[in-house]
Amino acid sequence: MLKLKNIEKEKFDEFVKNHKTKSHFLQSLSWGEFSKIKKNLTPYYLGLVNENEEIIGVTLLLEKKLPMNKCYFYAPRGFVIDYKKKEIVREMTKKVVEFAKSKKAIFVKIDPDIIRKSIDYQNEEKENPDYDTIFQTLKSCGFKHQGYTKNFETMQPRYTFRIDLTQSMEEIEEHFSKTTKQRISKAEKLDTEVVIGTKEDIKEFYHLMTLTESRKDFISYNEDYYETLYEIFNGNESSKATLFLGKISINKTIKALEKNLKIINDQISILPIDNLSKSAKAKLAELTKQKENIQEEMDKYKEAKKEYGNEITLSAHMIIEYGNKAWVLYAGNHNILSESYVNYSTYFEHIKYCKEKGIEIYDQFGTIGDLSKTKPRLGLHEFKKKFGGDYVEFMGEWDYITNPIFYFAFTKLVPIYRKMIRNKSKKELENELNNDK
């Protein structure tokens, strides 16, 4: 006889962290506590136990309060169970639904990190042999699949890139694109550096996040959001948040460029200027162009120094570690000196960092499924793809509907109402601006 009960937080987290196939930071104690503080959600740490009180599976359930004393529950990345065991899936579903009904929930949402298929760096596709069976099991339990969305319509990304860090570092780098290798090399030649930050660097990290988001025409979170996330994940022994800061010292970079300039001048000086062959003329033209490019770069760095000073943080990334995985949760970049490619070297450094720490899966946390050229996030997709990870597609969201009338109102009518209000407000603002002219 299995039953669902509240589990001590430490026991809960220990079970999730050590469940290799299903451990995810979104199922962790840290994420539950963070969601309570910053997302106004109520976390429940529930476990499915047998008659000997042995834990069979667990789930983090986040409760979102709704009007009229209603609510809904969300289990981020689904239940922490073996989905190939049908009876366990059915028992967990049954018990969770009973719990949800007792709280007057209108539905329960899950989005298991079950891989549907993946495509490697050589464009070879691999399907999950257990996928169809798991899909049918969830369907038979009463869950309704919400479709194979292509972009960021869901609670969590349905697509991502993942790098297998059990490979050697040589194999991992071998899968990088040619341009990625070149750009990492250039960042190194410019004497840039990547350092691990502290809580005091959250302000700089937030600044770069706002610059990045303003380029995309939206601002998502305030500084306190990131600071709280950092504190909570570093306040729990089983999780960790790490800041990586990609920096440039302009004086050092200019010295590196001057060194490169001297090498080019030395190469030019040995050419027989008065009697150049066709190949020598081509070589001279190439070297002259390189010289001009370096001089232009030096001028650009000197101008940046006048405005920003000698030391500039150009890239800041927050990495979350949990269990055997790590996720690049947030990445912010400056608007200037993109040709230094510090963003590439920052990625490279935290890949090496995760590899050295024994992390097995490195997740770039989100990309798109619709690869149409018109999609604004295609550039981000192509950037992540260049690091050679597997392009992974998850199964998507499932809803178990416990109150059909309220569910219809919440998922269909409320979004229409909100859209009408936004359009009305936008129209009123436009009329106000026109009247002011």
Side-chain angles (χ1 to χ4, degrees), residues 317-424:
H317 302 172
M318 185 180 288
I319 310 300
I320 296 294
E321 300 167 47
Y322 186 73
N324 67 328
K325 304 178 186 72
W327 293 261
V328 189
L329 193 54
Y330 300 112
N333 299 293
H334 214 301
N335 296 329
I336 61 169
L337 304 178
S338 59
E339 65 277 6
S340 65
Y341 300 117
V342 170
N343 190 26
Y344 282 80
S345 61
T346 306
Y347 259 90
F348 185 45
E349 288 303 318
H350 49 68
I351 289 173
K352 291 192 291 184
Y353 166 90
C354 291
K355 169 70 176 170
E356 290 168 3
K357 288 198 69 177
I359 298 292
E360 295 177 2
I361 297 174
Y362 172 93
D363 191 317
Q364 291 177 279
F365 201 64
T367 187
I368 54 176
D370 183 352
L371 304 182
S372 306
K373 291 183 179 179
T374 56
K375 291 300 175 182
R377 296 194 182 184
L378 185 60
L380 177 64
H381 173 89
E382 292 300 321
F383 171 80
K384 292 182 176 182
K385 180 181 179 181
K386 289 175 182 176
F387 286 88
D390 290 344
Y391 180 35
V392 174
E393 177 188 357
F394 297 110
M395 72 186 325
E397 292 184 344
W398 298 78
D399 287 355
Y400 192 108
I401 303 166
T402 53
N403 189 318
I405 295 174
F406 277 94
Y407 179 83
F408 177 78
F410 180 78
T411 59
K412 304 298 182 185
L413 300 182
V414 170
I416 294 172
Y417 174 74
R418 286 173 177 169
K419 185 176 181 180
M420 290 171 56
I421 294 296
R422 283 196 301 270
N423 290 341
K424 182 181 177 183

Side-chain angles (χ1 to χ4, degrees), residues 32-151:
E33 296 303 292
F34 174 74
S35 298
K36 178 169 63 176
I37 295 171
K38 299 306 296 182
K39 295 179 177 289
N40 198 31
L41 302 173
T42 303
Y44 293 88
Y45 306 100
L46 304 176
L48 189 68
V49 301
N50 62 19
E51 59 274 11
N52 297 321
E53 294 295 307
E54 295 171 328
I55 300 175
I56 307 301
V58 302
T59 183
L60 167 63
L61 281 186
L62 299 176
E63 180 185 21
K64 173 66 177 178
K65 300 289 187 182
L66 299 173
M68 302 178 67
N69 199 30
K70 302 296 182 183
C71 69
Y72 73 82
F73 283 99
Y74 171 45
R77 286 311 187 205
F79 309 140
V80 186
I81 56 176
D82 184 345
Y83 283 87
K84 288 183 284 186
K85 295 181 178 179
K86 296 180 183 180
E87 288 306 313
I88 299 299
V89 178
R90 291 193 179 103
E91 279 299 310
M92 178 65 92
T93 300
K94 178 183 174 183
K95 302 299 184 186
V96 166
V97 168
E98 288 174 358
F99 176 83
K101 286 180 176 178
S102 74
K103 300 289 184 179
K104 298 184 178 180
I106 63 175
F107 68 96
V108 177
K109 181 181 290 293
I110 65 173
D111 52 2
D113 65 332
I114 303 294
I115 294 174
R116 184 186 184 196
K117 61 183 177 181
S118 62
I119 302 173
D120 68 15
Y121 74 104
Q122 293 180 315
N123 213 34
E124 292 183 2
E125 186 175 299
K126 180 181 179 182
E127 295 188 354
N128 180 356
D130 301 310
Y131 181 79
D132 288 340
T133 300
I134 294 172
F135 188 99
Q136 291 303 322
T137 298
L138 288 171
K139 191 175 179 180
S140 69
C141 288
F143 280 104
K144 306 294 182 185
H145 190 242
Q146 300 304 297
Y148 293 120
T149 56
K150 292 291 186 179
N151 296 298

Side-chain angles (χ1 to χ4, degrees), residues 226-361:
Y226 298 111
E227 187 172 299
T228 303
L229 180 72
Y230 185 86
E231 288 176 344
I232 287 177
F233 272 81
N234 287 321
N236 186 341
E237 289 183 3
S238 66
S239 62
K240 186 172 177 57
T242 306
L243 277 180
F244 287 82
L245 307 175
K247 294 175 173 287
I248 191 166
S249 170
I250 294 192
N251 288 343
K252 286 168 65 177
T253 296
I254 289 176
K255 281 185 179 179
L257 288 170
E258 287 173 342
K259 184 178 178 181
N260 291 342
L261 194 59
K262 183 179 183 305
I263 292 171
I264 290 172
N265 283 329
D266 288 344
Q267 289 177 313
I268 291 175
S269 69
I270 63 174
L271 290 174
I273 302 298
D274 297 330
N275 186 24
L276 290 175
S277 64
K278 187 176 180 180
S279 61
K281 285 180 181 178
K283 182 68 174 176
L284 177 61
E286 180 190 342
L287 291 171
T288 302
K289 183 63 178 175
Q290 289 180 19
K291 184 176 177 179
E292 290 171 355
N293 290 342
I294 290 176
Q295 192 59 59
E296 285 179 13
E297 278 195 75
M298 289 173 66
D299 292 341
K300 189 177 287 189
Y301 286 117
K302 288 173 182 176
E303 286 300 312
K305 182 181 176 181
K306 289 178 185 177
E307 186 171 354
Y308 299 99
N310 181 50
E311 300 283 342
I312 311 173
T313 301
L314 294 178
S315 193
H317 302 172
M318 185 180 288
I319 310 300
I320 296 294
E321 300 167 47
Y322 186 73
N324 67 328
K325 304 178 186 72
W327 293 261
V328 189
L329 193 54
Y330 300 112
N333 299 293
H334 214 301
N335 296 329
I336 61 169
L337 304 178
S338 59
E339 65 277 6
S340 65
Y341 300 117
V342 170
N343 190 26
Y344 282 80
S345 61
T346 306
Y347 259 90
F348 185 45
E349 288 303 318
H350 49 68
I351 289 173
K352 291 192 291 184
Y353 166 90
C354 291
K355 169 70 176 170
E356 290 168 3
K357 288 198 69 177
I359 298 292
E360 295 177 2
I361 297 174

Side-chain angles (χ1 to χ4, degrees), residues 167-179:
Q167 304 171 91
S168 69
M169 202 61 219
E170 290 74 20
E171 288 176 297
I172 293 168
E173 290 182 55
E174 187 181 322
H175 300 167
F176 291 176
S177 71
K178 182 179 178 181
T179 55

